[in-house]
């Protein structure tokens, strides 16, 4: 009976010490994890700042050329107001190439910081295929940035009835 | 004599069991500490930010 009591007492003490030790280590482990997260975040912050200095130096050295290019890029697209002349310019090209010409603006979306303004339009025309190809080449060489999403050619009395949907980009 | 041996054996078994628990936990703690140290100070544990530059080549290509 004495042995059993002694055994239970010894095991209880040992178990209590072990439980305390484990609890302390779990607490310590949580603290270590928090500190590791803090160290990682501070190191990341430091690295970001170092890179920011490097980037600043590199950007400063290129800023002159970047400004020139930025102005050129901005001026390469016509202002929205200048698109008033767009249909006239296309009509002139079409007339020069012996094509009949009809034009209407469909819809528009204003420019944002990252995308240019987009103005959708439809052209209806009639003429020979060769004239039509010349017309397209001249539109491509014009000062306007134009993209066509639909070109529909229908043969009619040796000529073609042409419907084109496209968009012109603006500032 | 037989009872005494049994008691000694019981204490010895419990002692060894406790020792094994302590050793296992010590190893687990050291492993945890080393993993965390590696995570905190290793160069691979943080993201390398990409350098910020003007993309002059592309801008020139668009203008040309």
């Amino acid at each position: 009976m004495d042995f059993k009591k002694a055994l239970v007492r010894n095991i209880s003490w040992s178990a209590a010490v072990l439980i305390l030790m484990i609890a302390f280590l779990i607490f310590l482990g949580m603290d270590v994890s928090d500190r590791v997260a803090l160290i990682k975040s501070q190191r990341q912050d430091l690295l970001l700042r170092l890179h920011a200095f490097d980037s600043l130096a590199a950007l400063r050295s290129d800023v002159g050329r970047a400004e020139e290019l930025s102005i050129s890029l901005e001026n390469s697209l016509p202002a929205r107001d200048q698109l008033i002349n767009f249909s006239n310019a296309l009509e002139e090209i079409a007339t020069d190439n012996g094509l009949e010409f009809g034009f209407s603006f469909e819809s528009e979306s204003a420019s944002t910081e990252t995308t240019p303004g987009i103005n959708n339009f439809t052209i209806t025309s009639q003429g020979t295929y060769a004239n039509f190809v010349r017309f397209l080449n001249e539109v491509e060489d014009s000062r306007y940035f134009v993209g066509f999403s639909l070109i529909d050619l229908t043969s009619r009395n040796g000529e073609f009835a042409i419907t084109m949907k496209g968009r012109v980009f603006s500032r | 004599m037989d009872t005494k041996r049994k008691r000694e054996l019981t204490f010895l078994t419990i002692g060894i069991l406790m020792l094994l628990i302590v050793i296992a936990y010590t190893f687990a703690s050291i492993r945890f500490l080393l993993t965390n140290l590696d995570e905190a100070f290793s160069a691979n544990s943080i993201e390398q930010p990409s350098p910020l530059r003007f993309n002059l080549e592309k801008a020139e290509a668009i203008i040309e």
Side-chain angles (χ1 to χ4, degrees), chain A residues 73-94:
Chain A
L73 272 175
E74 273 180 26
N75 291 336
S76 64
L77 285 176
R80 196 168 148 267
D81 299 344
Q82 290 175 313
L83 290 182
I84 293 170
N85 298 323
F86 177 62
S87 62
N88 292 336
L90 287 189
E91 187 171 10
E92 200 175 307
I93 295 170

Side-chain angles (χ1 to χ4, degrees), chain A residues 10 14 25 43-44 55 65, chain B residues 11 18 25 40 42 47 60:
Chain A
N10 276 331
S14 305
L25 281 176
R43 282 185 68 208
Q44 186 77 57
S55 295
R65 181 75 187 125
Chain B
F11 270 117
M18 294 278 183
Y25 211 79
S42 156
E47 283 175 36
E60 279 165 358

Side-chain angles (χ1 to χ4, degrees), chain A residues 4 7 31 36 46 57 63 78 84 86 92 94 102 131 142 148-149:
Chain A
K4 271 191 179 173
L7 187 67
D31 189 50
V36 164
L46 192 68
V63 73
I84 293 170
F86 177 62
E92 200 175 307
N131 287 349
S142 72
F148 289 104
S149 56

Side-chain angles (χ1 to χ4, degrees), chain A residues 45-108:
Chain A
D45 196 34
L46 192 68
L47 196 69
L48 271 174
R49 284 177 195 207
L50 281 172
H51 269 263
F53 276 119
D54 289 346
S55 295
L56 189 66
L59 290 170
R60 269 199 180 160
S61 69
D62 289 343
V63 73
R65 181 75 187 125
E67 269 176 5
E68 283 171 25
L69 288 171
S70 173
I71 292 164
S72 303
L73 272 175
E74 273 180 26
N75 291 336
S76 64
L77 285 176
R80 196 168 148 267
D81 299 344
Q82 290 175 313
L83 290 182
I84 293 170
N85 298 323
F86 177 62
S87 62
N88 292 336
L90 287 189
E91 187 171 10
E92 200 175 307
I93 295 170
T95 311
D96 287 350
N97 288 290
L99 295 171
E100 289 174 26
F101 186 77
F103 180 92
S104 63
F105 272 120
E106 301 289 331
S107 61
E108 67 172 84

